[in-house]
Amino acid sequence: MLHNLLTRRKSYPLLLVMSLAIPLIGRAQDAPTYQTPPKVLADLVTAPLTPTVSMSGKGDVMLILEQASAPGIAELAQPELKLAGLRLNPANTGPSRAKYITGLKLKKLTDKDEKAITGLPANPLISFVQWSPDDTKIAFASSTDSRIDLYVADVATATAQKIGSVALNATLGVPYQWVSDSKSLIAKIVPAGRGPAPEVSRVPVGPTTQENVGGKRGQAPTYQDLLKNPSDERQFAYYTTAQVVRLGLDGSTTNIGQPGIIRTASPSPNGQYIMLETVHTPFSYLVPVYRFPLKTEIYAVAGSLVKTLNDGPLQETVAYSPDGAPNGPREFAWRNDAPASVYYTVAQDNGDPKVKAEVRDKVFLVDAPFSGQPKEIYAAQFRFEGFDWGNETTALASERWWQNRKTITKIVNPTDWKTSVLFDRSYEDRYTNPGQPDTKHNQYGREVLNLLPSGEIIMLNAQGASPEGDRPFVSLLNLKTKQSRELWRSASPYFERPITVLDATRQVILTTRETPDESPNYFVRNLKARIAPIQATYFPHPYPQLKGIQKQQLRYKRSDGVDLTATLYLPVGYKKEQGPLPTFLWAYPAEFKSKDAASQVSGSPYQFNRISYWGAAAFVTMGYAILDNASIPIVGEGDKEPNDNYVEQLVASAKAAIDEGVRLGVVDSSRVGVGGHSYGAFMTANLLTHSKLFKGGIARSGAYNRTLTPFGFQNEQRSYWQAPDVYNKMSPFMNADKMKSPLLLVHGEADNNTGTFPIQSERYYNALKGFGATTRLVFLPYESHGYTAKESLLHMLSEMNGWLDKYVKNPASTAKATQAGKVGGGK
């Protein structure tokens, strides 16, 4: 998984969608070195990335974060430990495979000038960026080959300096948090005098054993990178052990508790207490670290233990379902609108969604000094998702249940904990999504609902799904009447998304605006004044040489009446009079419980043409028509499960997309290829197996034998033993003898995604080869589920381009060459 580098007060999307990459390789003996694709494709990998942005809590200062380009393969080849579901850099006690920020700039929203922050280390590798609660400072981690340092930048002077001499321990995520005084931080550091790492034991002292005492059920997904032996356990404990300290800006430290495997260390809103969550033995060889035993304790800011709230057991038997949950207290968190109050959730059905229960979860609250009995504050019909805290009389609570796709939002009065339903809807129904409430910072610097004096809150919907396509909007919701009114909605010829509210009373918001040929930039929009928005950033087009690519949002029907959509890309200057084009279809199936939800329109024709190297759109530069993000809904209404008719719906959806392209006169149905990544790779193999629609396909990092994920996959919750026919029919491996078209398989050798072990591609390739199918397997050294090294990305594009050129664009010449080879061989 990609590491989350940036902790921000509010979420701000990347201005340029991050892309993954794919290498192109011939037979092993033909490609002993990394290959490079045509320049127009290679330029997509090497083009500078558009910066990301983070706003101050007051909304007056913008932090611009310059992104690092793709690393070299030498960086991925550095030592790495794979322990308990983690991937660690043993040299600096942090995560491996991180994506970094390489520069920081400050800009007042009302000014055009940007000021680079000085005092950064040479060639900085920055992560975990956080604004201070009072917005006067910015903290960030700086990684080196041997350690991770903490820096703090002063906003007024735009200068940064290293804080103290401590080294952060970031193996278990965010290594520090600001205290509400903005003068100190709570940090996880490498313990002083830690000593050398334990040597990896090459000689076992005995066998590794696992035992299921009492025959308890413990269905689990196929996790990767798990602990395997006592040597792994010692390595895991050594690198994840940290000392929690209160760290002053002058570098002074106060220890909080003893060194331990600290998962989280978070200060109370008033800064007087610290909540520590500590992992401890027994460790597991079956589940990752987040299921290990976890002790939750409260410490005084001076360092003394105040209260042990819970000591949870190892969680190896959690129901394998989106609705499953650990048994016992879970998800301890501070209440944002109170000085020092902790709330937590307890499942009332033992965490098992198959158990009938009117109340699934209960939420309890305990106030400082934590000596009293916790009190029940909320009972959830479904799984409790969390609170949006507001003030002493208003909060919002969310619940969710996957099996019926329901979500409920309730208004809660924290004075008496009475509730009323605000929203009760299907989360599949994107048209009725009300958006997310605007928040502000309270006196503790914590996010709370921005409640207006009128009893209203501003709601931001950054997608704005509608029958006309995605049209993001802003609305005003009255919590008393529960009625809303729209304040603004994105309109052609732009695609504009609300990012945050800068001034709720004046209704001033920050948006990003784009068109197919204009890359996203930030704008300030006054919803009351109804004047033209003011541009705040001027990020250039990332690849101006590709301006003019044609884009169209398609809408069409599947044979069973389900409405579908796709984005059609056509080459610069192409005209229909030139005739239909070879075509590349790219998709990722999605499951639905409702045909109406599956039929909803997605996408917008006014979005920027993000010609990423990761998907299919890049190949519009090579003369293909692209059917991108073609909707492949798999529907199972009522008592039926979506996958009961997976293959039939899959083929029907693909056929409908091709037919629409043919109807428009731009798709040559005799020259169509298909591709996808992960579950899209699984889709690709099935389409080539069960249809004759495609001349060839590209499947990246997929899983092809579902008996290797026997307790469910994707959104299939039935086990193999409950639905063996479904598993067998959906598994391309089981149907390798039916493969009809050439298939390129690409996989990262270090894939850590649940279910997509590299052996999936290896065994599937062997099966296809055994039946004489035209296939090719490319393993990318050191790459995980998503590929990151520049060499890997360039090679991926080279492989894909060569495969499409050979089997899709020029299938006739390939067939002739193959036939000639067969004749020659006969002689």
Side-chain angles (χ1 to χ4, degrees):
M1 294 184 294
L2 296 180
H3 180 65
N4 183 13
L5 301 171
L6 184 61
T7 302
R8 307 178 211 167
R9 298 185 146 202
K10 295 186 180 180
S11 297
Y12 298 91
L14 297 182
L15 289 185
L16 179 64
V17 172
M18 295 279 199
S19 305
L20 301 176
I22 316 162
L24 181 100
I25 308 177
R27 290 166 302 189
Q29 61 268 31
D30 295 336
T33 60
Y34 287 103
Q35 305 297 301
T36 301
K39 185 177 184 302
V40 67
L41 291 175
D43 286 347
L44 297 177
V45 175
T46 58
L49 297 177
T50 300
T52 60
V53 165
S54 176
M55 293 298 299
S56 66
K58 296 183 179 67
D60 58 340
V61 179
M62 176 181 287
L63 176 65
I64 299 172
L65 305 105
E66 297 173 340
Q67 301 182 73
S69 58
I73 194 66
E75 185 174 325
L76 265 64
Q78 296 301 308
E80 178 182 61
L81 295 178
K82 303 173 184 179
L83 302 167
L86 304 173
R87 292 197 166 180
L88 311 178
N89 181 341
N92 68 5
T93 318
S96 59
R97 303 171 181 272
K99 291 189 73 67
Y100 292 108
I101 302 301
T102 56
L104 300 172
K105 294 180 179 178
L106 289 169
K107 177 185 180 301
K108 289 185 178 180
L109 202 58
T110 55
D111 295 343
K112 286 188 176 182
D113 295 334
E114 300 172 357
K115 183 184 293 186
I117 293 179
T118 61
L120 303 182
N123 302 314
L125 299 175
I126 295 169
S127 58
F128 303 113
V129 179
Q130 293 185 33
W131 287 87
S132 64
D134 65 2
D135 290 329
T136 64
K137 307 172 190 70
I138 298 167
F140 58 90
S142 174
S143 296
T144 70
D145 290 341
S146 60
R147 56 186 285 132
I148 302 175
D149 294 311
L150 180 65
Y151 279 71
V152 171
D154 181 78
V155 173
T157 62
T159 58
Q161 64 178 4
K162 188 170 73 169
I163 303 300
S165 59
V166 298
L168 297 175
N169 185 325
T171 54
L172 287 174
V174 181
Y176 72 90
Q177 288 191 35
W178 280 101
V179 178
S180 56
D181 62 5
S182 295
K183 298 177 181 178
S184 57
L185 308 100
I186 302 300
K188 296 186 289 184
I189 67 172
V190 175
R194 178 172 65 168
E199 292 186 8
V200 176
S201 176
R202 302 296 181 187
V203 180
V205 297
T208 299
T209 62
Q210 299 184 57
E211 183 178 4
N212 189 25
V213 179
K216 294 181 181 179
R217 292 195 174 194
Q219 300 180 0
T222 50
Y223 295 116
Q224 302 202 44
D225 298 343
L226 300 178
L227 299 177
K228 301 179 182 65
N229 51 54
S231 179
D232 278 358
E233 292 189 48
R234 291 190 293 271
Q235 294 279 320
F236 166 74
Y238 174 84
Y239 286 105
T240 56
T241 294
Q243 172 67 60
V244 176
V245 299
R246 178 171 183 170
L247 178 62
L249 297 183
D250 60 358
S252 61
T253 60
T254 301
N255 287 352
I256 309 294
Q258 298 299 312
I261 304 174
I262 311 297
R263 196 165 84 175
T264 62
S266 58
S268 61
N270 66 1
Q272 298 304 304
Y273 299 94
I274 314 298
M275 181 163 58
L276 299 189
E277 291 186 307
T278 307
V279 172
H280 61 82
T281 57
F283 300 149
S284 172
Y285 296 179
L286 183 64
V287 294
V289 60
Y290 64 83
R291 293 282 181 83
F292 288 6
L294 189 68
K295 181 186 291 187
T296 304
E297 299 171 303
I298 302 295
Y299 283 81
V301 71
S304 60
L305 177 65
V306 175
K307 180 76 172 181
T308 297
L309 296 180
N310 186 57
D311 194 353
L314 177 65
Q315 299 283 351
E316 285 189 337
T317 58
V318 176
Y320 182 35
S321 164
D323 296 326
N327 195 16
R330 70 180 196 272
E331 297 168 0
F332 288 78
W334 295 107
R335 176 177 165 179
N336 281 356
D337 65 332
S341 298
V342 173
Y343 67 101
Y344 61 92
T345 308
V346 181
Q348 304 300 295
D349 55 3
N350 297 323
D352 187 351
K354 295 179 182 178
V355 173
K356 293 184 178 181
E358 291 186 4
V359 174
R360 293 285 175 183
D361 281 339
K362 287 186 176 181
V363 184
F364 296 85
L365 182 78
V366 57
D367 299 317
F370 313 103
S371 55
Q373 283 294 112
K375 60 182 177 182
E376 180 186 332
I377 62 172
Y378 188 83
Q381 176 185 349
F382 301 141
R383 283 283 172 252
F384 178 67
E385 291 284 294
F387 284 115
D388 286 311
W389 297 103
N391 57 24
E392 64 277 1
T393 61
T394 306
L396 298 180
S398 300
E399 307 174 24
R400 189 179 177 100
W401 196 245
W402 177 84
Q403 292 185 49
N404 59 10
R405 311 306 200 265
K406 293 280 284 187
T407 180
I408 296 175
T409 303
K410 293 181 181 179
I411 303 173
V412 181
N413 186 334
T415 301
D416 54 18
W417 301 106
K418 291 183 179 178
T419 67
S420 64
V421 175
L422 179 61
F423 304 119
D424 185 348
R425 49 181 291 274
S426 167
Y427 64 77
E428 285 187 337
D429 184 359
R430 293 175 293 110
Y431 290 176
T432 63
N433 185 346
Q436 296 297 316
D438 174 46
T439 59
K440 66 177 182 179
H441 298 127
N442 62 10
Q443 67 270 34
Y444 307 117
R446 300 297 178 98
E447 292 285 340
V448 294
L449 295 172
N450 193 355
L451 297 161
L452 300 176
S454 59
E456 296 173 308
I457 57 176
I458 292 178
M459 303 289 289
L460 306 177
N461 192 311
Q463 182 182 26
S466 76
E468 295 79 39
D470 290 348
R471 295 184 60 203
F473 64 87
V474 177
S475 62
L476 203 58
L477 174 65
N478 191 308
L479 295 179
K480 297 175 183 177
T481 65
K482 302 179 183 178
Q483 299 298 308
S484 66
R485 60 186 178 91
E486 189 174 289
L487 297 177
W488 167 86
R489 184 181 284 266
S490 177
S492 63
Y494 301 105
F495 179 78
E496 191 169 358
R497 292 182 294 172
I499 302 303
T500 191
V501 176
L502 300 175
D503 187 324
T505 303
R506 294 172 53 229
Q507 294 181 5
V508 179
I509 65 173
L510 184 72
T511 70
T512 60
R513 193 175 77 173
E514 60 195 90
T515 70
D517 276 333
E518 296 174 7
S519 57
N521 269 291
Y522 286 92
F523 288 76
V524 177
R525 179 178 282 277
N526 189 315
L527 304 185
K528 278 188 174 180
R530 303 285 181 178
I531 58 177
I534 300 171
Q535 188 165 350
T537 63
Y538 296 84
F539 300 134
H541 195 297
Y543 22 78
Q545 70 276 21
L546 300 185
K547 282 186 176 182
I549 286 174
Q550 304 172 63
K551 178 180 178 182
Q552 182 179 350
Q553 187 181 40
L554 305 184
R555 303 183 189 184
Y556 49 96
K557 283 187 180 292
R558 199 164 70 182
S559 57
D560 58 0
V562 174
D563 292 320
L564 304 177
T565 60
T567 301
L568 173 67
Y569 291 96
L570 296 170
V572 176
Y574 168 77
K575 297 180 180 180
K576 291 182 182 180
E577 293 76 20
Q578 297 172 249
L581 297 171
T583 301
F584 190 23
L585 183 149
W586 190 267
Y588 190 97
E591 295 88 348
F592 294 88
K593 289 296 290 181
S594 160
K595 283 187 176 180
D596 289 340
S599 293
Q600 290 184 348
V601 177
S602 63
S604 167
Y606 307 113
Q607 286 182 277
F608 177 60
N609 288 338
R610 291 178 177 86
I611 310 302
S612 164
Y613 54 74
W614 188 241
F619 293 92
V620 70
T621 64
M622 304 306 294
Y624 294 87
I626 305 298
L627 293 169
D628 199 26
N629 293 322
S631 53
I632 309 282
I634 310 298
V635 184
E637 294 187 305
D639 294 333
K640 294 183 178 179
E641 291 296 328
N643 286 337
D644 290 344
N645 299 107
Y646 170 85
V647 169
E648 292 81 1
Q649 296 187 68
L650 189 73
V651 174
S653 298
K655 183 177 186 301
I658 295 171
D659 288 348
E660 178 64 9
V662 171
R663 185 189 70 80
L664 293 172
V666 298
V667 169
D668 180 351
S669 62
S670 66
R671 294 187 296 164
V672 181
V674 61
H677 189 88
S678 194
Y679 204 55
F682 176 70
M683 167 207 76
T684 297
N686 269 305
L687 283 171
L688 298 187
T689 300
H690 298 288
S691 78
K692 296 181 179 180
L693 298 171
F694 302 99
K695 288 297 181 181
I698 299 169
R700 297 187 337 226
S701 298
Y704 309 103
N705 182 350
R706 285 307 173 188
T707 68
L708 298 180
T709 55
F711 292 111
F713 56 90
Q714 203 69 3
N715 286 318
E716 175 57 67
Q717 296 303 302
R718 294 169 295 184
S719 73
Y720 170 75
W721 296 272
Q722 292 173 305
D725 291 342
V726 171
Y727 276 67
N728 288 326
K729 185 176 181 180
M730 289 181 67
S731 294
F733 179 86
M734 303 302 184
N735 299 280
D737 59 325
K738 302 181 181 68
M739 174 55 72
K740 298 177 171 59
S741 304
L743 176 62
L744 170 65
L745 296 165
V746 182
H747 216 120
E749 285 186 344
D751 192 335
N752 68 335
N753 183 58
T754 300
T756 55
F757 284 88
I759 197 173
Q760 287 271 4
S761 288
E762 182 180 0
R763 291 291 182 261
Y764 186 40
Y765 170 79
N766 289 339
L768 293 174
K769 182 178 180 182
F771 286 106
T774 299
T775 184
R776 176 179 175 82
L777 173 61
V778 177
F779 270 136
L780 299 176
Y782 301 112
E783 294 291 357
S784 187
H785 193 60
Y787 323 139
T788 57
K790 181 174 67 174
E791 293 89 340
S792 299
L793 298 177
L794 292 172
H795 190 83
M796 173 194 74
L797 290 174
S798 179
E799 288 281 354
M800 293 178 70
N801 185 59
W803 196 261
L804 291 172
D805 186 70
K806 184 174 183 179
Y807 294 108
V808 176
K809 184 181 286 187
N810 302 296
S813 59
T814 301
K816 289 180 181 178
T818 301
Q819 186 62 34
K822 289 181 179 179
V823 172
K827 293 182 180 179

